[in-house]
């Protein structure tokens, strides 16, 4: 007999586990979350927080969203991505990134009520974790996952209490492995993982030093230092990353994965910092140092019966594009409402199959993109002449040559400008962040063809209400108070929502009857003049892709489940059939 029981046991309190626990607790589900360590992340690994992730925090509530903004470095301070010989030395090039280019900023503002920001993991995790605990999740620290067995009714998991050294069992209906890139849960469900682990070695040097005089005039999150003949590492490029402007930093530096990982002590760290900052007298206050490996691997399936994996357990990749924590939180947003509805008896267990069907393709996509982004530094190295061997004098001469007159230097300067601009696929890839479209049994396209992307789909977000896509954002206005509200705010919070317009009252009536019949919460909003929400600007009408009397059925995770372009002959039976399919009740 297991000593403890819960509905969902989550292994890991990282962004994946904590966000899922927060969502499940908000939906009223009994949850237990464990972490093998005594507290949350102690290094600020993830930081770039994209709009889609902020929409998840917004869905968790204004308290959660506003706390995140309170601790985050705002978007305006994120964007002058600098390439230089050292922070004190010559600047080689610069690009506006993370939505700070005016064109990109407009696209960001049009596509979401939420803002991109820089929120180190040491701030994000406590926000998510305390939300989970405050809302009812049971948390146990210093508790290590050991193994599990599952049967038709549930999962029995063996945990080790690291304080007493005692093993104990927890019986749950479902188990989630959110236990990071070396996931034991993923190993135990023998999920297929494609790709390679350990393709590169990196070290983090986390320190305090006031570097304002080198950076405050060109505020950025990332300063890329291209140094020929650097005597540490070996990749010829180091990253100085802002944690807090401008006195807390993280240096990311490579090491040869075929050699033993270096021991990073105070002297070593100070030497690297002095070299990259370009100040031989710099003193740093070392907070911590750690080594990690670059991975290029993803799970092709993220579930075995009652056990799921999410976050880095399922997608393991370098930090490029800042996708790790973001995707982990978005995995949680996809799975939590499904578990909640199945546990409440509102949906059939087959709804859970849609998790892997929808998120495994995203895992592959983001792992591929993140690794490709590393390779796409190549043209910058080439343009600077840093690829032809390790002769320091030769490299320095090639880099200097770009300042010469003459055709060769003209071509070199042009190649460098192009190579830096091309890095928008890493540093301004709004489409990668926002264009996720799902295909599964929990989406009913009813034969409506997927709209083609009319711009580069990695760089630009393409709003559409095609079933499977995220509901587009538009500001509409509260008919009573006049306050603006995002269309996304009308949806989510664990419930299905119907959006329609004047003439679509039959959808509302059908929804009210069906909500009772099917036993789910089904919110309805009619958007139009003298309705609860008014589309004064016409923005919603321009992007909703349905007639006023059409209907959008939106899932709790903001993705469109089904769309009726116009009123149907029998709204009630159409809606009933769709809900039966989406909820796996057929
Ligand atoms: P994560 O590894 O964070 O958490 C795993 C949890 O499981 C931990 O609580 C751990 O203690 C626990 N655990 C593991 N094994 C256990 C066991 N057997 N028993 C109990 N508990 C166990 N991402 C991003 O979105 N934007 C960014 O800008 C960056 N930047 C960035 C920079 C650097 C330098 C790095 C190294 C990484 C990033 N990332 C990132 C990636 C990001 O840090 C990463 O993707 C997330 O932390 C993954 O979150 P998870 O919750 O999946 O795992």
């Amino acid at each position: 007999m297991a000593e403890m029981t819960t509905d969902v046991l989550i292994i890991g309190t990282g962004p994946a586990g904590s966000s899922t626990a927060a969502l499940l607790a908000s939906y009223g589900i009994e949850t237990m979350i464990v972490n093998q360590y005594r507290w949350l992340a102690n290094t600020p690994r993830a930081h770039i927080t994209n709009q889609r992730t902020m929409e998840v925090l917004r869905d968790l509530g204004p308290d959660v969203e506003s706390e995140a903004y309170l601790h985050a470095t705002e978007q305006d301070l994120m964007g002058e991505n600098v390439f230089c010989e050292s922070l004190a030395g010559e600047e080689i090039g610069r690009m506006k990134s993370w939505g700070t280019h005016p064109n990109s900023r407009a696209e960001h503002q049009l596509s979401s009520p939420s803002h991109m920001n820089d929120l180190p993991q040491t701030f994000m995790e406590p926000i998510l974790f305390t939300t989970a605990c405050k809302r009812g999740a049971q948390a146990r620290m210093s508790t290590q996952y050991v193994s599990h067995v599952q049967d038709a009714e549930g999962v029995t998991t063996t945990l080790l209490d690291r304080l007493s050294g005692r093993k104990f069992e927890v019986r749950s209906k479902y188990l989630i492995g959110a236990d990071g890139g070396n996931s034991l849960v993923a190993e135990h469900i023998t999920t297929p993982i494609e790709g390679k682990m350990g393709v590169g070695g990196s070290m983090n040097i986390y320190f305090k030093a006031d570097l304002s005089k080198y950076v405050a005039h060109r505020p950025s999150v990332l300063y890329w230092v291209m140094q020929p003949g650097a005597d540490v590492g070996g990749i010829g490029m180091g990253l100085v990353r802002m944690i807090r402007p401008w006195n807390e930093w993280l240096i990311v530096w490579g090491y040869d994965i075929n050699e033993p990982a270096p021991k990073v002590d105070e002297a070593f760290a100070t030497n690297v910092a002095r070299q990259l900052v370009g100040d031989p007298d710099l003193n740093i206050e070392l907070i911590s140092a750690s080594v990690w490996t670059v991975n290029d691997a993803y799970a092709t399936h993220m579930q075995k019966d009652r056990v799921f994996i999410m976050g880095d357990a399922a997608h393991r990749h370098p930090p490029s594009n800042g996708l790790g924590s973001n995707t982990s939180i978005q995995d949680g947003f996809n799975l939590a409402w499904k578990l909640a509805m199945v546990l409440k008896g509102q949906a059939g267990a087959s709804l859970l199959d849609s998790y892997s069907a929808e998120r495994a393709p995203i895992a592959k996509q983001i792992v591929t993109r993140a690794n490709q982004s590393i390779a796409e530094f190549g043209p910058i190295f080439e343009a600077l002449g840093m690829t032809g061997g390790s002769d320091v004098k030769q490299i320095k001469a090639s880099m200097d040559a770009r300042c010469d007159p003459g055709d060769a230097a003209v071509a070199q300067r042009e190649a460098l400008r192009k190579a830096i601009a091309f890095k928008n696929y890493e540093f301004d890839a709004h489409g990668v962040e926002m264009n996720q479209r799902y295909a599964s049994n929990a989406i009913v396209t009813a034969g409506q063809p997927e709209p083609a992307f009319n711009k580069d789909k990695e760089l630009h977000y393409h709003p559409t209400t095609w079933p499977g896509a995220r509901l587009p954002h538009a500001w509409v206005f509260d008919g009573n108070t006049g306050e603006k509200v995002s269309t996304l705010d009308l949806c989510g919070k664990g419930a299905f929502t119907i959006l329609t317009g004047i003439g679509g009252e039959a959808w509302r009536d059908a929804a009210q009857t069906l909500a009772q019949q099917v036993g789910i919460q089904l919110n309805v909003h009619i958007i139009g003049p003298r309705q609860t929400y008014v589309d004064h600007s016409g923005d919603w009408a321009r992007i909703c892709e349905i007639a006023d009397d059409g209907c959008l059925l939106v899932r709790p995770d903001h993705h469109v489940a089904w769309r009726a372009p116009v009123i149907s002959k029998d709204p009630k039976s159409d809606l009933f059939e769709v809900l039966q399919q989406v909820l796996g009740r057929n």
Side-chain angles (χ1 to χ4, degrees):
M1 253 307 256
E3 289 172 51
M4 293 174 209
T5 56
T6 187
D7 281 341
V8 183
L9 174 63
I10 301 174
I11 312 298
T13 58
S18 289
S19 59
T20 308
L23 288 159
L24 285 170
S26 306
Y27 303 155
I29 298 299
E30 225 182 87
T31 307
M32 185 186 292
I33 180 166
V34 305
N35 175 8
Q36 61 185 339
Y37 300 119
R38 69 178 170 74
W39 186 233
L40 309 171
N42 59 1
T43 58
R45 287 177 295 150
H47 54 123
I48 306 293
T49 305
N50 65 39
Q51 289 177 294
R52 185 65 190 126
T53 297
M54 287 309 297
E55 287 169 4
V56 178
L57 271 64
R58 190 178 172 93
D59 192 82
L60 278 167
D63 52 334
V64 181
E65 184 193 28
S66 59
E67 200 183 347
Y69 287 132
L70 183 73
H71 294 293
T73 296
E74 67 194 56
Q75 193 171 13
D76 282 341
L77 293 183
M78 292 175 69
E80 303 288 340
N81 203 352
V82 166
F83 299 85
C84 56
E85 289 191 10
S86 68
L87 294 199
E90 190 174 11
E91 183 168 325
I92 295 164
R94 206 188 284 203
M95 62 174 292
K96 283 211 177 286
S97 47
W98 311 121
T100 58
H101 187 286
N103 292 335
S104 181
R105 177 60 72 93
E107 290 188 30
H108 275 238
Q109 287 181 347
L110 286 167
S111 57
S112 174
S114 302
H115 317 289
M116 175 170 263
N117 61 73
D118 187 287
L119 185 63
Q121 197 160 337
T122 35
F123 291 90
M124 175 67 99
E125 274 189 28
I127 294 172
L128 295 170
F129 181 73
T130 51
T131 301
C133 297
K134 272 192 250 174
R135 297 186 185 179
Q138 295 285 355
R140 287 184 69 106
M141 302 314 238
S142 302
T143 302
Q144 191 173 5
Y145 164 83
V146 177
S147 61
H148 75 267
V149 282
Q150 60 170 317
D151 52 52
E153 275 82 46
V155 189
T156 302
T157 301
T158 303
L159 299 171
L160 170 70
D161 177 347
R162 294 181 70 196
L163 298 181
S164 66
R166 196 176 70 87
K167 284 188 183 160
F168 64 100
E169 287 180 349
V170 175
R171 180 76 177 162
S172 59
K173 301 213 175 80
Y174 296 97
L175 171 69
I176 296 177
D179 50 341
N182 295 312
S183 171
L184 206 53
V185 177
E187 199 182 308
H188 289 166
I189 60 169
T190 58
T191 192
I193 305 268
E194 278 193 13
K196 279 194 200 145
M197 297 285 279
V199 295
S202 271
M203 70 186 86
N204 283 352
I205 299 172
Y206 178 27
F207 65 99
K208 283 190 180 174
D210 183 357
L211 301 181
S212 310
K213 66 178 170 183
Y214 304 118
V215 296
H217 60 289
R218 45 180 179 177
S220 180
V221 172
L222 304 174
Y223 299 85
W224 299 93
V225 180
M226 330 282 292
Q227 269 185 15
D231 65 357
V232 276
I235 56 167
M237 181 173 69
L239 170 64
V240 184
R241 180 191 131 193
M242 179 274 292
I243 304 295
R244 304 270 89 182
W246 306 106
N247 58 5
E248 208 173 303
W249 301 88
L250 186 86
I251 282 179
V252 184
W253 188 261
Y255 71 86
D256 187 346
I257 188 79
N258 300 310
E259 300 289 327
K263 208 178 147 359
V264 187
D265 57 17
E266 184 113 25
F268 183 100
T270 304
N271 182 26
V272 175
R274 285 180 175 172
Q275 199 169 320
L276 297 191
V277 174
D279 176 351
D281 300 320
L282 178 75
N283 286 320
I284 63 165
E285 185 189 322
L286 182 65
I287 302 172
S288 67
S290 52
V291 292
W292 49 280
T293 57
V294 176
N295 301 316
D296 186 359
Y298 55 88
T300 52
H301 198 69
M302 294 165 66
Q303 174 194 11
K304 184 151 187 206
D305 304 322
R306 291 175 171 271
V307 183
F308 302 86
I309 54 167
M310 57 165 54
D312 276 15
H315 26 85
R316 306 161 187 186
H317 55 89
S320 340
N321 293 70
L323 292 169
S325 162
N326 285 303
T327 308
S328 303
I329 292 169
Q330 292 154 24
D331 284 346
F333 202 38
N334 183 290
L335 182 60
W337 68 269
K338 295 174 182 173
L339 280 172
M341 293 192 87
V342 172
L343 282 163
K344 287 177 187 172
Q346 296 168 332
S350 67
L351 172 62
L352 300 173
D353 299 344
S354 66
Y355 167 67
S356 185
E358 293 174 356
R359 295 305 292 176
I362 306 288
K364 178 177 179 181
Q365 183 209 336
I366 60 135
V367 170
T368 308
R369 176 17 81 197
N371 279 283
Q372 194 179 330
S373 289
I374 292 195
E376 287 171 358
F377 275 108
I380 301 181
F381 290 122
E382 272 160 38
L384 290 171
M386 293 177 83
T387 51
S390 55
D391 182 338
V392 175
K393 271 197 188 143
Q394 178 66 47
I395 295 173
K396 184 86 185 86
S398 306
M399 288 174 79
D400 289 346
R402 77 187 194 284
C403 310
D404 292 341
D407 291 347
V410 168
Q412 189 183 4
R413 288 194 292 273
E414 175 60 3
L416 182 60
R417 276 193 297 270
K418 268 197 186 152
I420 290 179
F422 189 60
K423 287 300 292 172
N424 56 358
Y425 282 91
E426 173 170 358
F427 302 120
D428 209 9
H430 198 219
V432 171
E433 293 157 5
M434 303 290 282
N435 276 328
Q436 295 179 1
R437 295 176 183 176
Y438 297 152
S440 74
N441 282 345
I443 300 291
V444 183
T445 59
Q448 295 170 31
E450 179 175 3
F453 287 93
N454 49 13
K455 289 182 186 169
D456 187 312
K457 72 174 181 186
E458 289 199 283
L459 297 182
H460 302 282
Y461 165 59
H462 180 146
T464 176
T465 58
W466 181 68
R470 158 191 165 277
L471 178 78
H473 151 78
W475 292 115
V476 291
F477 299 85
D478 186 306
N480 291 320
T481 64
E483 267 177 47
K484 69 175 184 179
V485 180
S486 169
T487 44
L488 292 165
D489 297 334
L490 303 183
C491 306
K493 294 158 203 72
F496 274 81
T497 306
I498 281 180
L499 297 181
T500 183
I502 292 175
E505 292 76 9
W507 296 114
R508 179 195 54 203
D509 300 343
Q512 278 164 357
T513 318
L514 285 176
Q516 286 205 336
Q517 194 176 322
V518 181
I520 62 166
Q521 188 183 339
L522 189 49
N523 298 324
V524 183
H525 299 292
I526 298 181
I527 300 174
R530 297 193 186 162
Q531 304 299 315
T532 329
Y533 294 101
V534 190
D535 179 21
H536 288 309
S537 59
D539 287 345
W540 175 239
R542 273 186 286 276
I543 56 169
C544 69
E545 298 174 325
I546 53 170
D548 282 0
D549 61 2
C551 158
L552 295 176
L553 176 66
V554 185
R555 308 192 319 188
D557 60 3
H558 303 159
H559 281 255
V560 177
W562 176 69
R563 166 173 84 173
V566 292
I567 190 87
S568 73
K569 284 199 188 88
D570 188 349
K572 192 169 151 218
S573 89
D574 289 350
L575 209 47
F576 178 74
E577 258 179 48
V578 168
L579 282 171
Q580 292 291 97
Q581 172 170 343
V582 169
L583 295 175
R585 293 162 55 121
N586 286 330

